[in-house]
Amino acid sequence: VFSVIYSKQWYQRRVRGTSTGFACGYCPVSPLHITQLSLSPLNSVTSAPSRGFTSTERTELQMSQITVVLGSQWGDEGKGKIVDLLAEKVNIVARCQGGNNAGHTVVVGETHYDFHLLPSGIVYSDVQCVVGNGVVVHIPSLFEEVDKNKAKGLSGIEERLVISDRAHVVTDSHQIVDGANEKEKGSLGTTKKGIGPTYSSKMKRNNLRMVDLLGSEEAVRRKLAALAEEFSRAYPGEVFDVEGQWSRLKGYLHRIRPMIKDSVLFMNRAIANGRTILVEGANAAMLDIDFGTYPYVTSSNCTVGGVCTGLGIPPTKIDEVIGVVKAYTTRVGAGTFPTELTDDIGQALGDIGHEYGVTTGRRRRCGWLDLMVLSYSHMINGFTKLAVTKLDILDSFKELKVCTGYRLDGAELASFPAEHALLERIEPVYTTLEGWKCSTIGCRSFEELPPQAKAYIQLMETVVGVKVCWIGVGQSRDSVIVV
């Protein structure tokens, strides 16, 4: 794993939660005041440390003006639950990247709300939600989601939703191309929602944007036709029904136009007026187009740099970056997974944890917690706090393993490799911990956790160097320990 040596000033500001800002972007080392960066394997850890952060360091958390919640693994960490927990304390919840390829579930009483494009904060009637310029939006899917959640009792969704005029539109043609690519070029495990082809059109500078929907309808139809013509040449076996797409899209114009606004101005005015903002990341660090396990990644920057480029807010305004980590590891679709378990233990994790994707329904692959991944994710994002989810899923296991390093051909690796072929060959180095063999679901404080569960959390804190401030121990809204 990585041993990151910071200055005393940085440690006090970051780990103890008194930070007022940090630098972010596309540099993989994001925190300020780093005096030395040592990439030393920590494979000498043979047992859980006696302590992590002291009780005096486990103080009650106050919301900063801008807080970012990001996935630290391969997605499906339970970000929606953490966002839901924090959203009641803020004025605005915003999405900055991705599309309806992401899925978050929020449980309120007996009702399960599934969100794909809508920020999870929409469940609070006094919270405004923003879909930023970095998000790509399939309009029919957006309104299917709106109407589905309206039927479950959510009100005022459209009145409280701002969609960036700079956000790009996912057309039906993009979805057809996504499916064709999966068939013809070999599966990358995409959701076939058209996300990658839309970002490709964005980079080619010929795509449809939300602002276009405010102008001439004929101009919109011409852009749809131009995209379909381009795709028809590249995919002659597919049918791109321009008139059908236009007719479908036209039926939503009266509903979406009132939501389309200058989101950059909206967000920066909100910052200037002292409004509190929660940014809800989609996907996760290991799916980031630059830093993830390429090519088995998504098509956007789902690390902290994507917050600034996807919402148009300055990096100096961001106060907190919360990394959400599942107590074990999962990933859906193809791609390397060093700690994957294909045995009965992996099957049990999936069964107990109900590991099926919210967006696709696909069964997730399961494995042990990988602190090499988490340390790498922290290096890129500069987490100020961690939120651990689904600790209760480990309640019945007699023994637990945690990956604390990688070996390749007998040599310890100092960092997470970029080359996919190397990742396929690495050998995880495990620290074995005793399981607690009792339920944690009723626990509501860190002190109530069994000693073995505390040791599991403390190992994570010690290796990564970031305080765990939330621990999920059940599915319901109140099944979270604040530490």
Side-chain angles (χ1 to χ4, degrees), residues 432-454:
T432 300
L433 300 177
E434 181 185 355
W436 42 95
K437 295 288 290 182
C438 63
S439 177
T440 57
I441 291 177
C443 297
R444 291 298 178 269
S445 71
F446 187 76
E447 289 68 28
E448 292 177 36
L449 288 173
Q452 298 90 338
K454 291 179 186 177

PDB file of all heavy atoms in Angstrom, residues 432-454:
ATOM      1  N   THR A 432      -4.795 -11.103   7.600  1.00  0.00           N
ATOM      2  CA  THR A 432      -5.946 -11.879   8.053  1.00  0.00           C
ATOM      3  C   THR A 432      -6.398 -11.386   9.424  1.00  0.00           C
ATOM      4  O   THR A 432      -5.586 -11.226  10.342  1.00  0.00           O
ATOM      5  CB  THR A 432      -5.590 -13.374   8.133  1.00  0.00           C
ATOM      6  OG1 THR A 432      -5.195 -13.829   6.834  1.00  0.00           O
ATOM      7  CG2 THR A 432      -6.801 -14.188   8.586  1.00  0.00           C
ATOM      8  N   LEU A 433      -7.690 -11.127   9.535  1.00  0.00           N
ATOM      9  CA  LEU A 433      -8.281 -10.649  10.781  1.00  0.00           C
ATOM     10  C   LEU A 433      -9.364 -11.619  11.251  1.00  0.00           C
ATOM     11  O   LEU A 433     -10.000 -12.293  10.438  1.00  0.00           O
ATOM     12  CB  LEU A 433      -8.897  -9.261  10.595  1.00  0.00           C
ATOM     13  CG  LEU A 433      -7.965  -8.126  10.157  1.00  0.00           C
ATOM     14  CD1 LEU A 433      -8.756  -6.857   9.960  1.00  0.00           C
ATOM     15  CD2 LEU A 433      -6.861  -7.914  11.175  1.00  0.00           C
ATOM     16  N   GLU A 434      -9.574 -11.631  12.548  1.00  0.00           N
ATOM     17  CA  GLU A 434     -10.627 -12.449  13.125  1.00  0.00           C
ATOM     18  C   GLU A 434     -11.988 -11.795  12.873  1.00  0.00           C
ATOM     19  O   GLU A 434     -12.145 -10.573  13.031  1.00  0.00           O
ATOM     20  CB  GLU A 434     -10.391 -12.592  14.636  1.00  0.00           C
ATOM     21  CG  GLU A 434     -11.413 -13.453  15.358  1.00  0.00           C
ATOM     22  CD  GLU A 434     -11.200 -13.463  16.852  1.00  0.00           C
ATOM     23  OE1 GLU A 434     -10.192 -12.872  17.314  1.00  0.00           O
ATOM     24  OE2 GLU A 434     -12.033 -14.050  17.563  1.00  0.00           O
ATOM     25  N   GLY A 435     -12.973 -12.588  12.454  1.00  0.00           N
ATOM     26  CA  GLY A 435     -14.323 -12.069  12.304  1.00  0.00           C
ATOM     27  C   GLY A 435     -14.994 -11.884  13.651  1.00  0.00           C
ATOM     28  O   GLY A 435     -14.504 -12.371  14.684  1.00  0.00           O
ATOM     29  N   TRP A 436     -16.141 -11.182  13.671  1.00  0.00           N
ATOM     30  CA  TRP A 436     -16.790 -10.910  14.956  1.00  0.00           C
ATOM     31  C   TRP A 436     -17.983 -11.831  15.242  1.00  0.00           C
ATOM     32  O   TRP A 436     -18.417 -11.954  16.368  1.00  0.00           O
ATOM     33  CB  TRP A 436     -17.205  -9.452  15.059  1.00  0.00           C
ATOM     34  CG  TRP A 436     -17.807  -8.848  13.825  1.00  0.00           C
ATOM     35  CD1 TRP A 436     -19.122  -8.736  13.521  1.00  0.00           C
ATOM     36  CD2 TRP A 436     -17.097  -8.228  12.759  1.00  0.00           C
ATOM     37  NE1 TRP A 436     -19.296  -8.089  12.322  1.00  0.00           N
ATOM     38  CE2 TRP A 436     -18.057  -7.753  11.823  1.00  0.00           C
ATOM     39  CE3 TRP A 436     -15.740  -8.003  12.476  1.00  0.00           C
ATOM     40  CZ2 TRP A 436     -17.721  -7.098  10.643  1.00  0.00           C
ATOM     41  CZ3 TRP A 436     -15.404  -7.341  11.308  1.00  0.00           C
ATOM     42  CH2 TRP A 436     -16.376  -6.899  10.405  1.00  0.00           C
ATOM     43  N   LYS A 437     -18.492 -12.476  14.207  1.00  0.00           N
ATOM     44  CA  LYS A 437     -19.515 -13.519  14.367  1.00  0.00           C
ATOM     45  C   LYS A 437     -20.698 -13.073  15.242  1.00  0.00           C
ATOM     46  O   LYS A 437     -21.212 -13.833  16.062  1.00  0.00           O
ATOM     47  CB  LYS A 437     -18.898 -14.788  14.946  1.00  0.00           C
ATOM     48  CG  LYS A 437     -17.883 -15.469  14.036  1.00  0.00           C
ATOM     49  CD  LYS A 437     -18.555 -16.130  12.856  1.00  0.00           C
ATOM     50  CE  LYS A 437     -19.363 -17.334  13.258  1.00  0.00           C
ATOM     51  NZ  LYS A 437     -19.993 -18.001  12.082  1.00  0.00           N
ATOM     52  N   CYS A 438     -21.123 -11.836  15.096  1.00  0.00           N
ATOM     53  CA  CYS A 438     -22.314 -11.346  15.776  1.00  0.00           C
ATOM     54  C   CYS A 438     -22.867 -10.170  14.991  1.00  0.00           C
ATOM     55  O   CYS A 438     -22.167  -9.580  14.167  1.00  0.00           O
ATOM     56  CB  CYS A 438     -22.026 -10.943  17.231  1.00  0.00           C
ATOM     57  SG  CYS A 438     -20.858  -9.581  17.394  1.00  0.00           S
ATOM     58  N   SER A 439     -24.108  -9.828  15.214  1.00  0.00           N
ATOM     59  CA  SER A 439     -24.761  -8.785  14.434  1.00  0.00           C
ATOM     60  C   SER A 439     -24.303  -7.394  14.858  1.00  0.00           C
ATOM     61  O   SER A 439     -24.192  -7.097  16.059  1.00  0.00           O
ATOM     62  CB  SER A 439     -26.279  -8.882  14.587  1.00  0.00           C
ATOM     63  OG  SER A 439     -26.909  -7.819  13.894  1.00  0.00           O
ATOM     64  N   THR A 440     -24.047  -6.558  13.874  1.00  0.00           N
ATOM     65  CA  THR A 440     -23.732  -5.145  14.130  1.00  0.00           C
ATOM     66  C   THR A 440     -24.903  -4.240  13.776  1.00  0.00           C
ATOM     67  O   THR A 440     -24.810  -3.024  13.932  1.00  0.00           O
ATOM     68  CB  THR A 440     -22.501  -4.711  13.308  1.00  0.00           C
ATOM     69  OG1 THR A 440     -22.770  -4.950  11.911  1.00  0.00           O
ATOM     70  CG2 THR A 440     -21.258  -5.477  13.710  1.00  0.00           C
ATOM     71  N   ILE A 441     -26.003  -4.817  13.316  1.00  0.00           N
ATOM     72  CA  ILE A 441     -27.114  -4.018  12.785  1.00  0.00           C
ATOM     73  C   ILE A 441     -27.705  -3.088  13.843  1.00  0.00           C
ATOM     74  O   ILE A 441     -28.116  -1.965  13.525  1.00  0.00           O
ATOM     75  CB  ILE A 441     -28.196  -4.942  12.183  1.00  0.00           C
ATOM     76  CG1 ILE A 441     -27.644  -5.608  10.911  1.00  0.00           C
ATOM     77  CG2 ILE A 441     -29.470  -4.177  11.859  1.00  0.00           C
ATOM     78  CD1 ILE A 441     -28.587  -6.594  10.269  1.00  0.00           C
ATOM     79  N   GLY A 442     -27.712  -3.492  15.091  1.00  0.00           N
ATOM     80  CA  GLY A 442     -28.276  -2.646  16.137  1.00  0.00           C
ATOM     81  C   GLY A 442     -27.318  -1.619  16.695  1.00  0.00           C
ATOM     82  O   GLY A 442     -27.710  -0.773  17.514  1.00  0.00           O
ATOM     83  N   CYS A 443     -26.061  -1.641  16.274  1.00  0.00           N
ATOM     84  CA  CYS A 443     -25.064  -0.707  16.822  1.00  0.00           C
ATOM     85  C   CYS A 443     -25.315   0.703  16.312  1.00  0.00           C
ATOM     86  O   CYS A 443     -25.563   0.908  15.123  1.00  0.00           O
ATOM     87  CB  CYS A 443     -23.660  -1.149  16.450  1.00  0.00           C
ATOM     88  SG  CYS A 443     -23.180  -2.755  17.115  1.00  0.00           S
ATOM     89  N   ARG A 444     -25.215   1.692  17.210  1.00  0.00           N
ATOM     90  CA  ARG A 444     -25.397   3.088  16.817  1.00  0.00           C
ATOM     91  C   ARG A 444     -24.254   3.975  17.303  1.00  0.00           C
ATOM     92  O   ARG A 444     -24.335   5.200  17.220  1.00  0.00           O
ATOM     93  CB  ARG A 444     -26.736   3.609  17.335  1.00  0.00           C
ATOM     94  CG  ARG A 444     -27.960   2.988  16.651  1.00  0.00           C
ATOM     95  CD  ARG A 444     -27.979   3.311  15.159  1.00  0.00           C
ATOM     96  NE  ARG A 444     -29.101   2.688  14.474  1.00  0.00           N
ATOM     97  CZ  ARG A 444     -29.071   1.488  13.902  1.00  0.00           C
ATOM     98  NH1 ARG A 444     -27.947   0.753  13.958  1.00  0.00           N
ATOM     99  NH2 ARG A 444     -30.120   0.994  13.288  1.00  0.00           N
ATOM    100  N   SER A 445     -23.203   3.360  17.815  1.00  0.00           N
ATOM    101  CA  SER A 445     -21.998   4.108  18.170  1.00  0.00           C
ATOM    102  C   SER A 445     -20.792   3.216  17.931  1.00  0.00           C
ATOM    103  O   SER A 445     -20.914   1.985  17.913  1.00  0.00           O
ATOM    104  CB  SER A 445     -22.040   4.550  19.641  1.00  0.00           C
ATOM    105  OG  SER A 445     -21.886   3.440  20.503  1.00  0.00           O
ATOM    106  N   PHE A 446     -19.637   3.835  17.747  1.00  0.00           N
ATOM    107  CA  PHE A 446     -18.406   3.080  17.508  1.00  0.00           C
ATOM    108  C   PHE A 446     -18.108   2.175  18.699  1.00  0.00           C
ATOM    109  O   PHE A 446     -17.644   1.038  18.526  1.00  0.00           O
ATOM    110  CB  PHE A 446     -17.253   4.042  17.252  1.00  0.00           C
ATOM    111  CG  PHE A 446     -15.985   3.360  16.824  1.00  0.00           C
ATOM    112  CD1 PHE A 446     -15.840   2.881  15.528  1.00  0.00           C
ATOM    113  CD2 PHE A 446     -14.929   3.193  17.712  1.00  0.00           C
ATOM    114  CE1 PHE A 446     -14.671   2.237  15.125  1.00  0.00           C
ATOM    115  CE2 PHE A 446     -13.760   2.560  17.312  1.00  0.00           C
ATOM    116  CZ  PHE A 446     -13.636   2.082  16.012  1.00  0.00           C
ATOM    117  N   GLU A 447     -18.397   2.662  19.905  1.00  0.00           N
ATOM    118  CA  GLU A 447     -18.110   1.896  21.106  1.00  0.00           C
ATOM    119  C   GLU A 447     -18.930   0.611  21.178  1.00  0.00           C
ATOM    120  O   GLU A 447     -18.525  -0.371  21.810  1.00  0.00           O
ATOM    121  CB  GLU A 447     -18.369   2.754  22.345  1.00  0.00           C
ATOM    122  CG  GLU A 447     -17.353   3.882  22.560  1.00  0.00           C
ATOM    123  CD  GLU A 447     -17.440   4.987  21.505  1.00  0.00           C
ATOM    124  OE1 GLU A 447     -18.557   5.187  20.947  1.00  0.00           O
ATOM    125  OE2 GLU A 447     -16.409   5.619  21.222  1.00  0.00           O
ATOM    126  N   GLU A 448     -20.114   0.599  20.559  1.00  0.00           N
ATOM    127  CA  GLU A 448     -20.974  -0.580  20.601  1.00  0.00           C
ATOM    128  C   GLU A 448     -20.517  -1.688  19.650  1.00  0.00           C
ATOM    129  O   GLU A 448     -20.968  -2.829  19.767  1.00  0.00           O
ATOM    130  CB  GLU A 448     -22.413  -0.191  20.256  1.00  0.00           C
ATOM    131  CG  GLU A 448     -23.100   0.679  21.291  1.00  0.00           C
ATOM    132  CD  GLU A 448     -24.495   1.094  20.845  1.00  0.00           C
ATOM    133  OE1 GLU A 448     -25.184   0.281  20.201  1.00  0.00           O
ATOM    134  OE2 GLU A 448     -24.890   2.239  21.118  1.00  0.00           O
ATOM    135  N   LEU A 449     -19.650  -1.375  18.706  1.00  0.00           N
ATOM    136  CA  LEU A 449     -19.177  -2.395  17.778  1.00  0.00           C
ATOM    137  C   LEU A 449     -18.333  -3.436  18.506  1.00  0.00           C
ATOM    138  O   LEU A 449     -17.612  -3.102  19.459  1.00  0.00           O
ATOM    139  CB  LEU A 449     -18.334  -1.760  16.671  1.00  0.00           C
ATOM    140  CG  LEU A 449     -19.059  -0.939  15.616  1.00  0.00           C
ATOM    141  CD1 LEU A 449     -18.050  -0.240  14.709  1.00  0.00           C
ATOM    142  CD2 LEU A 449     -20.006  -1.803  14.782  1.00  0.00           C
ATOM    143  N   PRO A 450     -18.373  -4.693  18.074  1.00  0.00           N
ATOM    144  CA  PRO A 450     -17.488  -5.699  18.670  1.00  0.00           C
ATOM    145  C   PRO A 450     -16.024  -5.337  18.408  1.00  0.00           C
ATOM    146  O   PRO A 450     -15.709  -4.670  17.421  1.00  0.00           O
ATOM    147  CB  PRO A 450     -17.887  -6.990  17.958  1.00  0.00           C
ATOM    148  CG  PRO A 450     -18.646  -6.580  16.745  1.00  0.00           C
ATOM    149  CD  PRO A 450     -19.268  -5.266  17.042  1.00  0.00           C
ATOM    150  N   PRO A 451     -15.111  -5.764  19.297  1.00  0.00           N
ATOM    151  CA  PRO A 451     -13.698  -5.389  19.152  1.00  0.00           C
ATOM    152  C   PRO A 451     -13.114  -5.745  17.785  1.00  0.00           C
ATOM    153  O   PRO A 451     -12.307  -4.980  17.230  1.00  0.00           O
ATOM    154  CB  PRO A 451     -13.015  -6.187  20.265  1.00  0.00           C
ATOM    155  CG  PRO A 451     -14.088  -6.440  21.269  1.00  0.00           C
ATOM    156  CD  PRO A 451     -15.350  -6.589  20.496  1.00  0.00           C
ATOM    157  N   GLN A 452     -13.511  -6.872  17.217  1.00  0.00           N
ATOM    158  CA  GLN A 452     -12.964  -7.286  15.924  1.00  0.00           C
ATOM    159  C   GLN A 452     -13.417  -6.339  14.799  1.00  0.00           C
ATOM    160  O   GLN A 452     -12.670  -6.086  13.860  1.00  0.00           O
ATOM    161  CB  GLN A 452     -13.382  -8.726  15.603  1.00  0.00           C
ATOM    162  CG  GLN A 452     -12.876  -9.757  16.592  1.00  0.00           C
ATOM    163  CD  GLN A 452     -13.854  -9.978  17.733  1.00  0.00           C
ATOM    164  OE1 GLN A 452     -14.702  -9.125  18.034  1.00  0.00           O
ATOM    165  NE2 GLN A 452     -13.748 -11.141  18.373  1.00  0.00           N
ATOM    166  N   ALA A 453     -14.653  -5.839  14.901  1.00  0.00           N
ATOM    167  CA  ALA A 453     -15.139  -4.886  13.906  1.00  0.00           C
ATOM    168  C   ALA A 453     -14.419  -3.549  14.034  1.00  0.00           C
ATOM    169  O   ALA A 453     -14.103  -2.898  13.035  1.00  0.00           O
ATOM    170  CB  ALA A 453     -16.651  -4.702  14.051  1.00  0.00           C
ATOM    171  N   LYS A 454     -14.157  -3.139  15.278  1.00  0.00           N
ATOM    172  CA  LYS A 454     -13.373  -1.919  15.498  1.00  0.00           C
ATOM    173  C   LYS A 454     -11.983  -2.067  14.877  1.00  0.00           C
ATOM    174  O   LYS A 454     -11.461  -1.138  14.243  1.00  0.00           O
ATOM    175  CB  LYS A 454     -13.238  -1.635  16.992  1.00  0.00           C
ATOM    176  CG  LYS A 454     -14.519  -1.223  17.684  1.00  0.00           C
ATOM    177  CD  LYS A 454     -14.233  -1.002  19.167  1.00  0.00           C
ATOM    178  CE  LYS A 454     -15.499  -0.723  19.944  1.00  0.00           C
ATOM    179  NZ  LYS A 454     -15.220  -0.577  21.396  1.00  0.00           N
TER     180      LYS A 454
END
